[in-house]
Amino acid sequence: MKITPWASGLLVLAVAAVGGCSNDSPATNDSADAGTITVKGYSGVFEDSFKKAVIEPFQKKFPNIHVNYIGSGNSAENLASLRAAKSRPDTDVSILDISAADTANKSGIFQALDPAKVPNLADIDPRGKAADNFGPALTFDSLVLIYNDSVNPAPAKWESLWDPKYKGKVVVTAQPDIQGTSLMLIENQKAGGDYTKSVDPGVKRLKELAPNVQTWAPQPDQYTLVQSGTASLAIAWNARAQYYADKSQGKMKVATVDDDTIFQINTINLVKDSPSPAAAQTFINYALSPESQATFTDTMFYAPTNTKAKPSAEALARTALNPQRTANILTVDWTKVAANREAWTQLWRREILAG
């Protein structure tokens, strides 16, 4: 498998036909500069940082648009809630990973954006553009290792997770969360496999890892477990890892492994039959603007997707777009990952988690 940064072609998402607003949607007073919108995205530190860096400045700029934010534990949870409300949408904007977004597009849950209302679409990095003006990338991120002082020497490769001395001290978030998916794909490739045909080599590797795994479903999260010393090593997303490392007073560290990794993309999407599509697109355009993107990078170390964004050099160096961090990015077609989401989840349950 060729190890290169993502090509834009891999982000071409299959989409459902777009219909008009349903008469069943809740009535709102909606316009480009007034109304009430509901944004559904990640909870926890993402929610706190997104409100501070994006929502609060937006509401100062557009005081007549009120933003309600609803946090979800992960993209699978977000997608499930969108499916449940499909006949009567209660959400305007959804933030979730690209794999879940592809599933939502194919299910007719999202609709295309209007480039005239979201002009910042034109400046999105080609790796983050979706077909037919559907929801683009909001952030770029990558998979890393987090560890504490019980790990010596500092981990340099994913192989550290399999070290017998860390038996019962490793945390991996299982499929369908794409952290677990990503580790499986990395190990599948290292074992000579092709994930478009089979993930059996990756599954075999994770079965071998199982004795070291303390939990496949960390509560409250892997960052807390590693900081507290309950666990020693965990896979994690770089942005959150960098943020928590700064807050941990040295109790948790981030290892950018000298190995293959995965480029993770969070998308921002307009819900089909959104109660307030005009105000929602004003918000999406702002979230994709250079100033908003730069502020969010400086706040939480997500790499910007707007090519005109200018975050601080210090923050950018700690993101997935640092050239030293993108040298070994696996090429992954997330539309194929989305198509296999349920089958792979069942495979994990049978072969990895059952043991």
Side-chain angles (χ1 to χ4, degrees):
M1 181 182 293
K2 188 177 180 182
I3 310 301
T4 61
W6 268 23
S8 60
L10 297 179
L11 293 178
V12 176
L13 306 181
V15 297
V18 178
C21 291
S22 167
N23 291 331
D24 292 333
S25 296
T28 62
N29 295 318
D30 176 46
S31 72
D33 56 8
T36 296
I37 64 171
T38 297
V39 178
K40 189 169 291 182
Y42 300 104
S43 57
V45 67
F46 183 100
E47 177 177 350
D48 295 340
S49 298
F50 193 73
K51 285 179 176 178
K52 177 182 177 181
V54 181
I55 294 177
E56 290 177 9
F58 171 80
Q59 293 196 137
K60 289 181 180 178
K61 188 171 183 177
F62 297 93
N64 294 322
I65 299 179
H66 179 71
V67 181
N68 296 317
Y69 187 98
I70 298 176
S72 296
N74 53 46
S75 292
E77 179 183 315
N78 189 336
L79 179 59
S81 69
L82 292 168
R83 279 173 163 162
K86 184 179 177 182
S87 63
R88 188 176 173 83
D90 56 5
T91 301
D92 299 282
V93 177
S94 179
I95 299 168
L96 34 61
D97 70 56
I98 193 168
S99 177
D102 178 67
T103 299
N105 286 335
K106 290 175 179 176
S107 302
I109 292 173
F110 296 148
Q111 67 185 59
L113 298 169
D114 182 348
K117 296 178 180 178
V118 190
N120 284 315
L121 278 173
D123 296 320
I124 297 301
D125 187 309
R127 292 170 293 184
K129 288 186 175 180
D132 301 321
N133 296 318
F134 273 67
L138 174 68
T139 63
F140 291 143
D141 206 356
S142 60
L143 198 70
V144 296
L145 279 175
I146 57 174
Y147 65 103
N148 55 32
D149 286 338
S150 69
V151 178
N152 190 19
K157 293 186 177 295
W158 301 113
E159 190 67 31
S160 299
L161 296 167
W162 280 260
D163 192 320
K165 68 182 178 182
Y166 300 122
K167 183 176 182 179
K169 287 290 187 178
V170 169
V171 174
V172 174
T173 308
Q175 169 87 15
D177 190 293
I178 63 169
Q179 292 176 77
T181 310
S182 297
L183 184 61
M184 176 182 71
L185 296 178
I186 289 168
E187 292 301 317
N188 199 70
Q189 190 274 336
K190 286 168 61 179
D194 178 351
Y195 74 94
T196 65
K197 298 177 181 177
S198 172
V199 291
D200 288 347
V203 169
K204 180 176 183 294
R205 283 289 288 154
L206 292 182
K207 286 177 68 174
E208 295 169 355
L209 176 63
N212 277 17
V213 176
Q214 180 183 110
T215 178
W216 300 97
Q219 294 295 332
D221 54 51
Q222 64 268 53
Y223 310 97
T224 301
L225 295 178
V226 171
Q227 285 184 57
S228 67
T230 303
S232 298
L233 277 166
I235 63 170
W237 295 124
N238 177 68
R240 289 180 183 239
Q242 296 289 344
Y243 179 90
Y244 280 119
D246 284 354
K247 302 294 184 182
S248 73
Q249 299 180 331
K251 294 180 181 178
M252 191 198 85
K253 301 176 178 65
V254 183
T256 303
V257 295
D258 182 22
D259 214 338
D260 304 336
T261 190
I262 292 285
F263 204 44
Q264 192 266 349
I265 294 179
N266 288 319
T267 63
I268 187 165
N269 307 273
L270 177 64
V271 176
K272 184 178 181 181
D273 297 337
S274 157
S276 303
Q281 290 185 91
T282 298
F283 177 79
I284 291 172
N285 188 58
Y286 180 82
L288 296 174
S289 67
E291 62 269 28
S292 178
Q293 291 261 300
T295 300
F296 198 40
T297 298
D298 288 342
T299 301
M300 203 178 165
F301 307 108
Y302 281 103
T305 61
N306 188 309
T307 56
K308 294 183 178 179
K310 297 187 181 301
S312 69
E314 179 184 9
L316 190 62
R318 296 173 65 183
T319 73
L321 290 184
N322 182 327
Q324 294 181 349
R325 295 179 184 274
T326 58
N328 297 314
I329 301 291
L330 290 184
T331 299
V332 176
D333 184 345
W334 288 103
T335 65
K336 294 186 184 298
V337 173
N340 286 286
R341 177 188 288 266
E342 183 56 32
W344 288 353
T345 298
Q346 295 304 321
L347 185 61
W348 271 66
R349 289 172 179 168
R350 291 195 310 269
E351 300 294 332
I352 301 171
L353 305 182

